[in-house]
Amino acid sequence: MSDYRVHGATGEWEVVIGLEVHAQVTSQSKLFSGAATAFGAEPNSQVSLVDAAMPGMLPVPNRECIRQAVRTGMALNAQINPWSRFDRKNYFYADLPQGYQISQLYFPIVGEGEIDVVLDEKSPETSTKTIGIERIHVEQDAGKLMHDQHPTMSYVDLNRSGVALMEIVSRPDMRSPAEAGAYLTKLRQILRYVGSCDGNMDQGSMRADVNVSVRKPGDEFGTRTETKNVNSVRFVMAVVEAEARRQVDVIEDGGRIVQETRLYDPDRNETRSMRSKEDAHDYRYFPDPDLLPLELDQAFLDECEASLPELPDAKRARYEGALGLSAYNARVLTSDVETARWFERLVTATAANAGKGEAEVAKQASNWLTSELFGALNKLGTDLASSPVTPDNGAELLGLVASGTISGSAAKLVLEKMLASGDRAAAIVEREGLTQTSDTGAIEAAVDAVLAANADKVQQYKDGKEALFGFFVGQTMKAMQGKGNPGLVNEVIKAKLG
Amino acid sequence: MSVDTATVAKIAALARIKVSEAELAAMVPELNGILAWVEQLGEVDVSGVEPMTAVIENHLRLRADVIDPDPLTGGGKRDAVLANAPAAMDGFYGVPKVIE
Amino acid sequence: MTSLTDLGVAAIRDGVAAGTFTAVEVAEAFNANVAAASALNAFIVTTPELALGAAKATDTRRAKGEALGLMGGVPIGMKDLFATKGVQTTAASHMLEGFVPEYESTVSQKLWDAGAGMLGKLNLDQFAMGSSNETSYFGNVISPWRRGDGGNAALAPGGSSGGSSTAVSARLAPAATGTDTGGSIRQPAAFTGISGIKPTYGRCSRWGIVAFASSLDQAGSMARDVRDCAIMLEAMAGFDPKDATSLDLAVPQWEAGLSGDLTGKKVGVPTEYRMDGMDPDVAASWDQGIAWLRDAGAEIVEISLPHTKYALPAYYIIAPAEASSNLARYDGVRYGLRELPDGAGLQDMYAATRAAGFGAEVKRRIMIGTYVLSAGFYDAYYTQAQKVRTLISRDFAQAFALCDVILAPTAPTAAFGLGEKSDDPLAMYLNDVFAVPASLAGLPAMSVPAGLNREGLPLGLQIIGRPFDEQGVLNAGLAIEQRAGFAARPEKWW
């Protein structure tokens, strides 16, 4: 489907991409110990005797981590394996206290699944691609090494050591940087919906190993390289582009691609070999004898299934269908789980205030949220997560408009003041005297003044320049500080102009 | 299957055990003796037999997701985890500088 | 009056409870014996103050009329494989020399909670790898036994729990903890004329025990008679949520359930254990054991354990494989020895540290384990061995359809001399030929003294039981004990 090609001296090359995403499982405590997982704690303050691999320490698995991996698998329509097993991956490194990582090689907890990604939002019907998931397994994170605290020593912090990760392995189904970016974005979105990973890539909660190879279209897969620990969607796309280009150049210069691990340098926008670190790696995987096979019973699986939330695709379809939202609004409001949650609370509260069904108020609410609130927050340089306006406050504001208490233009003013003060809409309207007036006398007086002051324009209007009607409405509203009932204002002007 | 000096050197490197040439030379016949002996396992017909996973019938228990439920398996004990470190520095474990 | 140090666990506990003597008197007596026995090298560190402290606590509790616990007033030796808070724990290695844990193993904690006190940390084969206690970094343990030929040849106390067997046999402790991975409780017990039981895998928590081979390691008790073993095991066993392989079962009252009457029981005698060229004294002792159990009311049945021959080779793949991984944590970063040659990088530091910190036998097993797990060999060695292990376990299950317990020798010979086998790893490994099958199957098994061989050295008989049936094992052991009347003890020469 993708026509992304790398242009080389010998012709066009196709790029083949697979991603191994490491996602930190959202849990209070570590995968095999009771130590906390919170980000940013003092070094080695969240390390148990188990995490430090003291002699005689033993792992006991955390139910929540297992549950989150299963729920994630279910959200990706994947096969859940009721029988899985932990294996040890043996290697020596200073961030790996046990000398092995407890992982799952032979029998992962989740098998094959898939993700649909839309590559062009303008024509989703023709640009949806299914990316295969090969497997998801659960494993321990390693600790952290710091190199700049001491001239001759590196420092080891084991706070992350033993935190649960899900490794989500895709099929080599992607063919362009855009596809890789769309896949990672969609995966992150789903994980956040499920609540199994917070998706904070800047804190390292999600990072991707990017497998890239190139081939002439139609040929067999080429030799791939693996660029480790890429920590943003943008970088993943950059890695694909840079690495594909490099590989094409190497091959066309008569060289050969070596299967190896590489590192991305964002400053230079290039990947470089990490060959030095993987001298003769042979991980000697074998079943962890400290742990029995992991057997999941039906009740556990049923609970996982029942606890799954509405997922992005379903939610988006419902917004467009049942709630009647525009395709654009539905996409924007479902792009992140927190936005969707905010929106749904807004709709619920708005409907409740008005004594109407949600479907009746959803469209108005979505328009207000996507244009008014997003616009205002954007101007303030902030976002929904830190918005001083809560969904309940927003609903109150929408209610004031719907009931005719304030006009639409007054509502903009009220929103500004809500954002600035954090006060509720009704209190601001009350304080500022913004209640809309339907006093015909007052409106007529205002209209008369406007028409009198703009006699030339009145003449032009009468000569046929009907577009000026809006001008008179605007001037009247302005004169009334937005408080005039727009319907009445219109009526009165129409009558006066005959 | 028997091992030669190069293989034994490779295993020692994998196991991160520094061995001298003399030790290496002594290890080769020793390991070959043991390996030749364990190879009698190849005689056993294991068709249809599953490798053992749990020696005594038991199920893997999962623990509740609670922070520091037991001081013996919880965190918040930096002094204890660093107490025996050959080089505890500024609250970290110190190791020779790693060039990444 | 009998010396206090001739008393066992039950006699001390009951005597302290009755006020016949105080716990402090007992602790002082054993502390004195320990201090006078440095020639045996049974202890790596002694902790007389801890033994006294626990004894004082027991005496105080008694004065207040409080319950004294299963092991109230009994001082014991602790194999130096159990982490003891504030007391050096080495696994008899240079690697862990000076390592002082900030935690207490579950089993040792249970013993202290039951009123026991610690005389010291007992020597063992390094990381529990050995059958003669000759691999300890802290030197050989010398068996208190000598051959009846008047010679002074130093004999092996067995291994890996050689410090434990020597201490109990030489009356340095009424009882000691042991751990058994492939016979490390039973074989030393047999070599020194004492009793020792390894319970069903999972009965005793492994938390805080320096790991050798996780799927095999199991703690147990070593004492001079079956009752004492039962009492101590009761105090050690029990579910531990910190060990994922721990059995979530109530601990039976083994002491209360003791009975040497085997009426209605069937005792299996495995054909395959009667090997060509068997030591005639060992064969005779086995026959005698069969007769004793028949006398105790049991019916004797021939059984077959067809894969016996393959147990030892399977063990010498599985145990080293697990060990190679379990011992990877000894890297000089967080505790223990660090060797940092000038200009060494991280990986050089690992290699130098592990070269200096591990002894030859430990290195050998790490090397074998690393090899059998390495790319291309995993299935041929490790997977094959685990399949054979399934077959060995199946053999036992089929046998237990025909009998209640199995009787066999504990070891193929009596104690051998120090140095006699240490140059030949395979000859040493073969010493565990009768002990290893039960370990591979996770079964409860014990050794009890059956008599002396023609050289005047103790021989042990082994009873193997069904999973969870420690009671059946102890009862058969008791039936032998009652009939063997084993009263021999090493003459004090140290």
PDB file of all heavy atoms in Angstrom, chain A residues 52-56 88 90 92-94 97 100 282 287 290, chain C residues 103 206 208-209 214 325-326 329 334-335 347 350 374-375 378:
ATOM      1  N   ALA A  52      17.910  -5.800  44.459  1.00  0.00           N
ATOM      2  CA  ALA A  52      19.368  -5.694  44.510  1.00  0.00           C
ATOM      3  C   ALA A  52      20.012  -7.067  44.375  1.00  0.00           C
ATOM      4  O   ALA A  52      21.224  -7.194  44.447  1.00  0.00           O
ATOM      5  CB  ALA A  52      19.807  -5.038  45.813  1.00  0.00           C
ATOM      6  N   ALA A  53      19.184  -8.094  44.161  1.00  0.00           N
ATOM      7  CA  ALA A  53      19.682  -9.469  43.969  1.00  0.00           C
ATOM      8  C   ALA A  53      20.609  -9.896  45.089  1.00  0.00           C
ATOM      9  O   ALA A  53      21.680 -10.446  44.852  1.00  0.00           O
ATOM     10  CB  ALA A  53      20.358  -9.615  42.605  1.00  0.00           C
ATOM     11  N   MET A  54      20.178  -9.651  46.319  1.00  0.00           N
ATOM     12  CA  MET A  54      20.947 -10.146  47.458  1.00  0.00           C
ATOM     13  C   MET A  54      20.893 -11.686  47.443  1.00  0.00           C
ATOM     14  O   MET A  54      19.930 -12.267  46.931  1.00  0.00           O
ATOM     15  CB  MET A  54      20.342  -9.618  48.760  1.00  0.00           C
ATOM     16  CG  MET A  54      20.525  -8.126  48.967  1.00  0.00           C
ATOM     17  SD  MET A  54      22.229  -7.739  49.399  1.00  0.00           S
ATOM     18  CE  MET A  54      22.269  -5.985  49.070  1.00  0.00           C
ATOM     19  N   PRO A  55      21.888 -12.330  48.026  1.00  0.00           N
ATOM     20  CA  PRO A  55      21.885 -13.798  48.035  1.00  0.00           C
ATOM     21  C   PRO A  55      20.607 -14.347  48.680  1.00  0.00           C
ATOM     22  O   PRO A  55      20.190 -13.865  49.732  1.00  0.00           O
ATOM     23  CB  PRO A  55      23.109 -14.138  48.891  1.00  0.00           C
ATOM     24  CG  PRO A  55      24.013 -12.946  48.773  1.00  0.00           C
ATOM     25  CD  PRO A  55      23.098 -11.761  48.651  1.00  0.00           C
ATOM     26  N   GLY A  56      20.000 -15.320  48.019  1.00  0.00           N
ATOM     27  CA  GLY A  56      18.828 -15.980  48.583  1.00  0.00           C
ATOM     28  C   GLY A  56      17.516 -15.259  48.363  1.00  0.00           C
ATOM     29  O   GLY A  56      16.484 -15.691  48.866  1.00  0.00           O
ATOM     30  N   ARG A  88      14.750 -17.004  32.068  1.00  0.00           N
ATOM     31  CA  ARG A  88      15.855 -16.098  32.394  1.00  0.00           C
ATOM     32  C   ARG A  88      16.684 -15.823  31.146  1.00  0.00           C
ATOM     33  O   ARG A  88      17.038 -16.739  30.419  1.00  0.00           O
ATOM     34  CB  ARG A  88      16.764 -16.734  33.447  1.00  0.00           C
ATOM     35  CG  ARG A  88      16.122 -16.871  34.809  1.00  0.00           C
ATOM     36  CD  ARG A  88      17.154 -17.413  35.780  1.00  0.00           C
ATOM     37  NE  ARG A  88      16.606 -17.612  37.105  1.00  0.00           N
ATOM     38  CZ  ARG A  88      17.307 -18.136  38.109  1.00  0.00           C
ATOM     39  NH1 ARG A  88      18.569 -18.504  37.911  1.00  0.00           N
ATOM     40  NH2 ARG A  88      16.756 -18.287  39.289  1.00  0.00           N
ATOM     41  N   ASN A  90      20.206 -14.496  30.325  1.00  0.00           N
ATOM     42  CA  ASN A  90      21.444 -14.331  31.093  1.00  0.00           C
ATOM     43  C   ASN A  90      22.462 -13.442  30.389  1.00  0.00           C
ATOM     44  O   ASN A  90      22.852 -13.721  29.252  1.00  0.00           O
ATOM     45  CB  ASN A  90      22.088 -15.708  31.321  1.00  0.00           C
ATOM     46  CG  ASN A  90      21.236 -16.601  32.192  1.00  0.00           C
ATOM     47  OD1 ASN A  90      21.182 -16.435  33.416  1.00  0.00           O
ATOM     48  ND2 ASN A  90      20.543 -17.556  31.581  1.00  0.00           N
ATOM     49  N   PHE A  92      25.655 -10.209  31.555  1.00  0.00           N
ATOM     50  CA  PHE A  92      26.263  -9.410  32.620  1.00  0.00           C
ATOM     51  C   PHE A  92      26.269  -7.937  32.242  1.00  0.00           C
ATOM     52  O   PHE A  92      26.781  -7.563  31.194  1.00  0.00           O
ATOM     53  CB  PHE A  92      27.721  -9.848  32.853  1.00  0.00           C
ATOM     54  CG  PHE A  92      27.843 -11.177  33.537  1.00  0.00           C
ATOM     55  CD1 PHE A  92      27.886 -12.353  32.805  1.00  0.00           C
ATOM     56  CD2 PHE A  92      27.904 -11.256  34.919  1.00  0.00           C
ATOM     57  CE1 PHE A  92      27.998 -13.582  33.444  1.00  0.00           C
ATOM     58  CE2 PHE A  92      28.018 -12.470  35.562  1.00  0.00           C
ATOM     59  CZ  PHE A  92      28.067 -13.642  34.823  1.00  0.00           C
ATOM     60  N   TYR A  93      25.695  -7.121  33.117  1.00  0.00           N
ATOM     61  CA  TYR A  93      25.826  -5.686  32.939  1.00  0.00           C
ATOM     62  C   TYR A  93      25.549  -5.029  34.291  1.00  0.00           C
ATOM     63  O   TYR A  93      24.840  -5.584  35.125  1.00  0.00           O
ATOM     64  CB  TYR A  93      24.875  -5.157  31.851  1.00  0.00           C
ATOM     65  CG  TYR A  93      25.345  -3.845  31.271  1.00  0.00           C
ATOM     66  CD1 TYR A  93      26.606  -3.746  30.697  1.00  0.00           C
ATOM     67  CD2 TYR A  93      24.562  -2.710  31.336  1.00  0.00           C
ATOM     68  CE1 TYR A  93      27.066  -2.544  30.185  1.00  0.00           C
ATOM     69  CE2 TYR A  93      25.011  -1.500  30.824  1.00  0.00           C
ATOM     70  CZ  TYR A  93      26.272  -1.419  30.262  1.00  0.00           C
ATOM     71  OH  TYR A  93      26.723  -0.235  29.768  1.00  0.00           O
ATOM     72  N   ALA A  94      26.080  -3.843  34.476  1.00  0.00           N
ATOM     73  CA  ALA A  94      25.998  -3.225  35.802  1.00  0.00           C
ATOM     74  C   ALA A  94      24.582  -2.823  36.176  1.00  0.00           C
ATOM     75  O   ALA A  94      24.271  -2.659  37.347  1.00  0.00           O
ATOM     76  CB  ALA A  94      26.912  -2.005  35.867  1.00  0.00           C
ATOM     77  N   PRO A  97      21.196  -6.506  38.168  1.00  0.00           N
ATOM     78  CA  PRO A  97      21.760  -7.063  39.401  1.00  0.00           C
ATOM     79  C   PRO A  97      21.780  -8.591  39.463  1.00  0.00           C
ATOM     80  O   PRO A  97      22.720  -9.176  39.973  1.00  0.00           O
ATOM     81  CB  PRO A  97      20.850  -6.504  40.501  1.00  0.00           C
ATOM     82  CG  PRO A  97      20.164  -5.337  39.896  1.00  0.00           C
ATOM     83  CD  PRO A  97      20.089  -5.582  38.429  1.00  0.00           C
ATOM     84  N   TYR A 100      20.756 -11.807  35.238  1.00  0.00           N
ATOM     85  CA  TYR A 100      19.785 -12.272  34.243  1.00  0.00           C
ATOM     86  C   TYR A 100      18.545 -11.412  34.369  1.00  0.00           C
ATOM     87  O   TYR A 100      18.267 -10.851  35.432  1.00  0.00           O
ATOM     88  CB  TYR A 100      19.422 -13.752  34.430  1.00  0.00           C
ATOM     89  CG  TYR A 100      18.950 -14.120  35.809  1.00  0.00           C
ATOM     90  CD1 TYR A 100      17.620 -13.952  36.193  1.00  0.00           C
ATOM     91  CD2 TYR A 100      19.834 -14.631  36.752  1.00  0.00           C
ATOM     92  CE1 TYR A 100      17.193 -14.282  37.459  1.00  0.00           C
ATOM     93  CE2 TYR A 100      19.413 -14.969  38.027  1.00  0.00           C
ATOM     94  CZ  TYR A 100      18.088 -14.801  38.377  1.00  0.00           C
ATOM     95  OH  TYR A 100      17.655 -15.132  39.630  1.00  0.00           O
ATOM     96  N   ASP A 282      25.149 -14.504  24.035  1.00  0.00           N
ATOM     97  CA  ASP A 282      24.491 -15.809  23.988  1.00  0.00           C
ATOM     98  C   ASP A 282      23.715 -15.836  25.292  1.00  0.00           C
ATOM     99  O   ASP A 282      24.286 -16.034  26.354  1.00  0.00           O
ATOM    100  CB  ASP A 282      25.550 -16.926  23.923  1.00  0.00           C
ATOM    101  CG  ASP A 282      24.916 -18.309  23.905  1.00  0.00           C
ATOM    102  OD1 ASP A 282      23.728 -18.431  24.244  1.00  0.00           O
ATOM    103  OD2 ASP A 282      25.629 -19.263  23.548  1.00  0.00           O
ATOM    104  N   PRO A 287      14.015 -21.804  31.566  1.00  0.00           N
ATOM    105  CA  PRO A 287      12.884 -21.475  32.446  1.00  0.00           C
ATOM    106  C   PRO A 287      13.378 -21.069  33.833  1.00  0.00           C
ATOM    107  O   PRO A 287      14.241 -21.746  34.393  1.00  0.00           O
ATOM    108  CB  PRO A 287      12.097 -22.778  32.527  1.00  0.00           C
ATOM    109  CG  PRO A 287      12.565 -23.610  31.388  1.00  0.00           C
ATOM    110  CD  PRO A 287      13.950 -23.180  31.045  1.00  0.00           C
ATOM    111  N   ASP A 290      12.948 -20.436  39.851  1.00  0.00           N
ATOM    112  CA  ASP A 290      12.342 -19.850  41.052  1.00  0.00           C
ATOM    113  C   ASP A 290      10.843 -19.636  40.884  1.00  0.00           C
ATOM    114  O   ASP A 290      10.165 -19.248  41.832  1.00  0.00           O
ATOM    115  CB  ASP A 290      12.988 -18.492  41.374  1.00  0.00           C
ATOM    116  CG  ASP A 290      14.375 -18.645  41.979  1.00  0.00           C
ATOM    117  OD1 ASP A 290      14.617 -19.671  42.641  1.00  0.00           O
ATOM    118  OD2 ASP A 290      15.211 -17.742  41.790  1.00  0.00           O
TER     119      ASP A 290
ATOM    120  N   TYR C 103      19.343  -9.067  56.474  1.00  0.00           N
ATOM    121  CA  TYR C 103      18.075  -9.803  56.544  1.00  0.00           C
ATOM    122  C   TYR C 103      18.328 -11.193  57.102  1.00  0.00           C
ATOM    123  O   TYR C 103      19.460 -11.676  57.113  1.00  0.00           O
ATOM    124  CB  TYR C 103      17.440  -9.894  55.150  1.00  0.00           C
ATOM    125  CG  TYR C 103      18.392 -10.421  54.082  1.00  0.00           C
ATOM    126  CD1 TYR C 103      18.372 -11.751  53.683  1.00  0.00           C
ATOM    127  CD2 TYR C 103      19.341  -9.578  53.483  1.00  0.00           C
ATOM    128  CE1 TYR C 103      19.255 -12.235  52.725  1.00  0.00           C
ATOM    129  CE2 TYR C 103      20.223 -10.051  52.526  1.00  0.00           C
ATOM    130  CZ  TYR C 103      20.179 -11.383  52.152  1.00  0.00           C
ATOM    131  OH  TYR C 103      21.056 -11.859  51.211  1.00  0.00           O
ATOM    132  N   ARG C 206      12.733 -21.202  50.707  1.00  0.00           N
ATOM    133  CA  ARG C 206      14.111 -21.000  50.245  1.00  0.00           C
ATOM    134  C   ARG C 206      14.531 -19.541  50.413  1.00  0.00           C
ATOM    135  O   ARG C 206      15.666 -19.182  50.098  1.00  0.00           O
ATOM    136  CB  ARG C 206      14.225 -21.405  48.762  1.00  0.00           C
ATOM    137  CG  ARG C 206      14.063 -22.912  48.535  1.00  0.00           C
ATOM    138  CD  ARG C 206      14.270 -23.291  47.071  1.00  0.00           C
ATOM    139  NE  ARG C 206      13.257 -22.710  46.215  1.00  0.00           N
ATOM    140  CZ  ARG C 206      13.488 -21.802  45.269  1.00  0.00           C
ATOM    141  NH1 ARG C 206      14.713 -21.382  45.034  1.00  0.00           N
ATOM    142  NH2 ARG C 206      12.506 -21.322  44.538  1.00  0.00           N
ATOM    143  N   GLY C 208      16.131 -16.447  51.511  1.00  0.00           N
ATOM    144  CA  GLY C 208      17.269 -16.146  52.371  1.00  0.00           C
ATOM    145  C   GLY C 208      18.299 -17.256  52.436  1.00  0.00           C
ATOM    146  O   GLY C 208      19.270 -17.140  53.172  1.00  0.00           O
ATOM    147  N   ILE C 209      18.101 -18.311  51.676  1.00  0.00           N
ATOM    148  CA  ILE C 209      19.131 -19.351  51.575  1.00  0.00           C
ATOM    149  C   ILE C 209      19.902 -19.094  50.285  1.00  0.00           C
ATOM    150  O   ILE C 209      19.300 -18.977  49.204  1.00  0.00           O
ATOM    151  CB  ILE C 209      18.506 -20.764  51.520  1.00  0.00           C
ATOM    152  CG1 ILE C 209      17.651 -21.008  52.761  1.00  0.00           C
ATOM    153  CG2 ILE C 209      19.598 -21.819  51.380  1.00  0.00           C
ATOM    154  CD1 ILE C 209      16.900 -22.333  52.729  1.00  0.00           C
ATOM    155  N   SER C 214      17.853 -23.858  42.169  1.00  0.00           N
ATOM    156  CA  SER C 214      16.557 -23.492  42.748  1.00  0.00           C
ATOM    157  C   SER C 214      15.508 -24.598  42.722  1.00  0.00           C
ATOM    158  O   SER C 214      14.696 -24.696  43.630  1.00  0.00           O
ATOM    159  CB  SER C 214      16.000 -22.283  42.005  1.00  0.00           C
ATOM    160  OG  SER C 214      16.949 -21.250  41.947  1.00  0.00           O
ATOM    161  N   SER C 325      23.393 -19.656  36.417  1.00  0.00           N
ATOM    162  CA  SER C 325      22.569 -18.452  36.397  1.00  0.00           C
ATOM    163  C   SER C 325      22.406 -17.860  37.803  1.00  0.00           C
ATOM    164  O   SER C 325      22.533 -16.652  37.997  1.00  0.00           O
ATOM    165  CB  SER C 325      21.206 -18.815  35.789  1.00  0.00           C
ATOM    166  OG  SER C 325      20.338 -17.733  35.783  1.00  0.00           O
ATOM    167  N   ASN C 326      22.158 -18.725  38.782  1.00  0.00           N
ATOM    168  CA  ASN C 326      21.990 -18.231  40.160  1.00  0.00           C
ATOM    169  C   ASN C 326      23.238 -17.516  40.678  1.00  0.00           C
ATOM    170  O   ASN C 326      23.141 -16.614  41.502  1.00  0.00           O
ATOM    171  CB  ASN C 326      21.663 -19.400  41.110  1.00  0.00           C
ATOM    172  CG  ASN C 326      20.204 -19.821  41.018  1.00  0.00           C
ATOM    173  OD1 ASN C 326      19.357 -19.048  40.598  1.00  0.00           O
ATOM    174  ND2 ASN C 326      19.924 -21.050  41.413  1.00  0.00           N
ATOM    175  N   ARG C 329      24.899 -13.347  39.981  1.00  0.00           N
ATOM    176  CA  ARG C 329      24.760 -12.107  40.767  1.00  0.00           C
ATOM    177  C   ARG C 329      26.034 -11.760  41.525  1.00  0.00           C
ATOM    178  O   ARG C 329      26.157 -10.642  42.019  1.00  0.00           O
ATOM    179  CB  ARG C 329      23.584 -12.237  41.729  1.00  0.00           C
ATOM    180  CG  ARG C 329      23.754 -13.302  42.788  1.00  0.00           C
ATOM    181  CD  ARG C 329      22.458 -13.513  43.567  1.00  0.00           C
ATOM    182  NE  ARG C 329      21.355 -13.832  42.655  1.00  0.00           N
ATOM    183  CZ  ARG C 329      20.082 -13.703  42.958  1.00  0.00           C
ATOM    184  NH1 ARG C 329      19.722 -13.260  44.131  1.00  0.00           N
ATOM    185  NH2 ARG C 329      19.154 -14.021  42.078  1.00  0.00           N
ATOM    186  N   ARG C 334      27.434  -5.092  44.142  1.00  0.00           N
ATOM    187  CA  ARG C 334      26.546  -4.696  45.241  1.00  0.00           C
ATOM    188  C   ARG C 334      26.964  -5.239  46.611  1.00  0.00           C
ATOM    189  O   ARG C 334      26.548  -4.740  47.639  1.00  0.00           O
ATOM    190  CB  ARG C 334      25.109  -5.114  44.930  1.00  0.00           C
ATOM    191  CG  ARG C 334      24.555  -4.409  43.713  1.00  0.00           C
ATOM    192  CD  ARG C 334      23.322  -5.083  43.172  1.00  0.00           C
ATOM    193  NE  ARG C 334      23.462  -6.523  43.100  1.00  0.00           N
ATOM    194  CZ  ARG C 334      24.182  -7.155  42.173  1.00  0.00           C
ATOM    195  NH1 ARG C 334      24.782  -6.486  41.221  1.00  0.00           N
ATOM    196  NH2 ARG C 334      24.304  -8.462  42.207  1.00  0.00           N
ATOM    197  N   TYR C 335      27.746  -6.308  46.595  1.00  0.00           N
ATOM    198  CA  TYR C 335      28.221  -6.900  47.848  1.00  0.00           C
ATOM    199  C   TYR C 335      29.316  -7.892  47.489  1.00  0.00           C
ATOM    200  O   TYR C 335      29.500  -8.234  46.327  1.00  0.00           O
ATOM    201  CB  TYR C 335      27.078  -7.622  48.597  1.00  0.00           C
ATOM    202  CG  TYR C 335      26.248  -8.511  47.712  1.00  0.00           C
ATOM    203  CD1 TYR C 335      26.701  -9.769  47.324  1.00  0.00           C
ATOM    204  CD2 TYR C 335      25.025  -8.075  47.196  1.00  0.00           C
ATOM    205  CE1 TYR C 335      25.951 -10.567  46.480  1.00  0.00           C
ATOM    206  CE2 TYR C 335      24.281  -8.870  46.346  1.00  0.00           C
ATOM    207  CZ  TYR C 335      24.751 -10.120  45.995  1.00  0.00           C
ATOM    208  OH  TYR C 335      24.019 -10.904  45.139  1.00  0.00           O
ATOM    209  N   GLN C 347      33.590  -5.175  32.567  1.00  0.00           N
ATOM    210  CA  GLN C 347      33.585  -6.613  32.260  1.00  0.00           C
ATOM    211  C   GLN C 347      34.866  -7.285  32.752  1.00  0.00           C
ATOM    212  O   GLN C 347      34.839  -8.436  33.185  1.00  0.00           O
ATOM    213  CB  GLN C 347      33.380  -6.842  30.748  1.00  0.00           C
ATOM    214  CG  GLN C 347      32.081  -6.249  30.193  1.00  0.00           C
ATOM    215  CD  GLN C 347      30.809  -6.928  30.722  1.00  0.00           C
ATOM    216  OE1 GLN C 347      30.849  -8.040  31.237  1.00  0.00           O
ATOM    217  NE2 GLN C 347      29.673  -6.253  30.602  1.00  0.00           N
ATOM    218  N   TYR C 350      34.318  -7.961  36.403  1.00  0.00           N
ATOM    219  CA  TYR C 350      33.525  -9.171  36.610  1.00  0.00           C
ATOM    220  C   TYR C 350      34.415 -10.412  36.541  1.00  0.00           C
ATOM    221  O   TYR C 350      34.375 -11.277  37.410  1.00  0.00           O
ATOM    222  CB  TYR C 350      32.450  -9.316  35.523  1.00  0.00           C
ATOM    223  CG  TYR C 350      31.327  -8.314  35.557  1.00  0.00           C
ATOM    224  CD1 TYR C 350      30.621  -8.022  34.388  1.00  0.00           C
ATOM    225  CD2 TYR C 350      30.936  -7.689  36.738  1.00  0.00           C
ATOM    226  CE1 TYR C 350      29.566  -7.120  34.385  1.00  0.00           C
ATOM    227  CE2 TYR C 350      29.890  -6.789  36.746  1.00  0.00           C
ATOM    228  CZ  TYR C 350      29.201  -6.508  35.573  1.00  0.00           C
ATOM    229  OH  TYR C 350      28.170  -5.627  35.571  1.00  0.00           O
ATOM    230  N   SER C 374      24.089 -23.034  26.428  1.00  0.00           N
ATOM    231  CA  SER C 374      24.502 -22.122  25.365  1.00  0.00           C
ATOM    232  C   SER C 374      23.848 -22.490  24.033  1.00  0.00           C
ATOM    233  O   SER C 374      23.334 -23.596  23.856  1.00  0.00           O
ATOM    234  CB  SER C 374      26.033 -22.090  25.242  1.00  0.00           C
ATOM    235  OG  SER C 374      26.502 -23.343  24.818  1.00  0.00           O
ATOM    236  N   ALA C 375      23.881 -21.525  23.139  1.00  0.00           N
ATOM    237  CA  ALA C 375      23.175 -21.647  21.864  1.00  0.00           C
ATOM    238  C   ALA C 375      23.579 -22.934  21.154  1.00  0.00           C
ATOM    239  O   ALA C 375      24.752 -23.238  21.018  1.00  0.00           O
ATOM    240  CB  ALA C 375      23.478 -20.440  20.987  1.00  0.00           C
ATOM    241  N   TYR C 378      21.257 -26.272  24.109  1.00  0.00           N
ATOM    242  CA  TYR C 378      20.198 -26.212  25.118  1.00  0.00           C
ATOM    243  C   TYR C 378      19.264 -27.428  25.059  1.00  0.00           C
ATOM    244  O   TYR C 378      18.999 -28.083  26.065  1.00  0.00           O
ATOM    245  CB  TYR C 378      19.420 -24.908  24.940  1.00  0.00           C
ATOM    246  CG  TYR C 378      18.207 -24.775  25.801  1.00  0.00           C
ATOM    247  CD1 TYR C 378      18.330 -24.504  27.158  1.00  0.00           C
ATOM    248  CD2 TYR C 378      16.925 -24.934  25.272  1.00  0.00           C
ATOM    249  CE1 TYR C 378      17.203 -24.372  27.961  1.00  0.00           C
ATOM    250  CE2 TYR C 378      15.809 -24.805  26.069  1.00  0.00           C
ATOM    251  CZ  TYR C 378      15.944 -24.529  27.403  1.00  0.00           C
ATOM    252  OH  TYR C 378      14.832 -24.404  28.189  1.00  0.00           O
TER     253      TYR C 378
END
